[in-house]
Amino acid sequence: MTSTGLSRLAHAAPRLLQLGAVVALAGAVAVGYVTAQKTASNRLALHAEAPAGVAIQDFDPARHEGPAGEATLLAQIDPDAAISVRYREGLTRMRAVVYPLLSSRAAGGAEPVVLGLVYYPDRARTVEPMAADTLLPEPIGEGAVGPVVRLSGFPGAPDALQARATEAFAAAGFALAPSQVALTPFPEGRAAALEAPVPSHMRTALFLLALVLMVSSVVLRHSRARRTEVRRINEMVRHQPPRRHRSPRTARAQNRFAPLAEQEELLPEPPAAPVTRLGRLRGVHRTS
């Protein structure tokens, strides 16, 4: 890129930053609108019945998800096969306990295929262990591999969490189905989950990006105006004609600020000595 192109780009930088801030702000508003619509849809779904439970091996999202995108699955769980996974969700460090979901009719002979994963996320700084008896619901039956439980929640999980959990189970020797069902259960029940506002990390990130771009534009514009003002003052000083010294023409003007002539110091004379008779006689004698 030539110097002219760089100069034009530098001149247009504040406007480009402002344009980027406007686009980021518009994106944040759009994401906020979609999130608000999703929250409203979830709250409306509270007036409807929860979707009926379906065995995980028969689950079809198009037919078995409710209006709010929720689902209820019936599956066997092996509590001893749980793993703990650490990941990031936006700027927050998270961890999750993950259980493999097996067919509700899985037999105990061959190694069962993992049809899905259920995630119990929590903040990474939590110290208390996340035990199975505090996370899993009460079993509704007993299978050949483990208890059969009814799980209600939203299908899906963060991509980073799914990737790490899948790698961990594959490394542990579990047989994984080609397409697994991911489920994030309602931590405090269906009503609390559907009433809560839908979180949106993208909306927050876009608002922060718009703020950074706008502040950068103001700083860059102020800095450029400051440099322009300094350059203008330097040009004025450089092109200013030298000041000529005018000598006074009239005698009065020439003597107006003439330096004073040196004068002897005016000191007080010492007092005269008193004249006595002897002094007068000496004076007469010297005179004569």
Side-chain angles (χ1 to χ4, degrees):
M1 184 178 291
T2 62
S3 58
T4 304
L6 291 175
S7 177
R8 291 180 178 178
L9 181 61
H11 183 75
R15 293 184 179 180
L16 293 177
L17 290 175
Q18 288 180 353
L19 179 61
V22 171
V23 172
L25 186 60
V29 172
V31 172
Y33 175 78
V34 174
T35 303
Q37 292 295 318
K38 179 63 175 175
T39 301
S41 176
N42 289 352
R43 291 174 179 175
L44 286 175
L46 282 173
H47 302 286
E49 294 292 334
V54 59
I56 188 172
Q57 64 270 17
D58 301 326
F59 177 69
D60 182 8
R63 294 188 296 116
H64 299 130
E65 286 187 3
E70 55 180 322
T72 303
L73 300 179
L74 306 178
Q76 287 190 71
I77 287 186
D78 184 2
D80 298 330
I83 63 172
S84 179
V85 178
R86 291 182 179 270
Y87 65 102
R88 283 187 176 274
E89 188 174 353
L91 300 177
T92 307
R93 297 174 58 187
M94 303 285 292
R95 70 168 182 168
V97 174
V98 188
Y99 293 91
L101 298 179
L102 312 175
S103 171
S104 60
R105 296 189 294 268
E111 183 70 24
V113 178
V114 177
L115 301 179
L117 300 174
V118 59
Y119 302 90
Y120 290 90
D122 196 3
R123 292 184 180 271
R125 63 172 177 264
T126 305
V127 179
E128 296 80 6
M130 302 171 73
D133 55 353
T134 62
L135 296 177
L136 297 177
E138 291 293 331
I140 60 174
E142 192 67 31
V145 180
V148 179
V149 294
R150 179 190 299 269
L151 300 169
S152 297
F154 290 118
D159 294 337
L161 175 57
Q162 291 192 58
R164 287 180 176 270
T166 302
E167 292 175 0
F169 278 110
F174 286 86
L176 302 176
S179 58
Q180 304 161 29
V181 179
L183 185 71
T184 303
F186 299 139
E188 299 178 358
R190 179 173 180 265
L194 296 183
E195 275 287 347
V198 176
S200 177
H201 300 287
M202 179 63 68
R203 178 169 174 258
T204 304
L206 288 174
F207 268 125
L208 291 177
L209 178 61
L211 179 61
V212 169
L213 291 176
M214 186 60 67
V215 171
S216 300
S217 172
V218 172
V219 171
L220 186 59
R221 187 181 295 273
H222 178 75
S223 176
R224 193 176 65 181
R226 179 72 175 176
R227 289 197 303 268
T228 302
E229 181 67 17
V230 171
R231 192 181 302 114
R232 186 183 66 84
I233 294 175
N234 291 337
E235 288 292 331
M236 290 177 58
V237 171
R238 188 174 62 179
H239 292 89
Q240 186 176 10
R243 299 180 61 181
R244 294 180 300 177
H245 177 69
R246 285 188 174 184
S247 57
R249 297 181 179 180
T250 62
R252 182 177 181 181
Q254 293 176 358
N255 297 329
R256 183 175 182 181
F257 297 103
L260 297 176
E262 295 184 1
Q263 299 181 6
E264 297 181 358
E265 294 185 5
L266 302 178
L267 298 177
E269 296 182 357
V275 181
T276 59
R277 181 178 180 184
L278 179 59
R280 285 197 300 268
L281 292 176
R282 289 181 178 177
V284 173
H285 177 72
R286 287 178 182 175
T287 303
S288 62

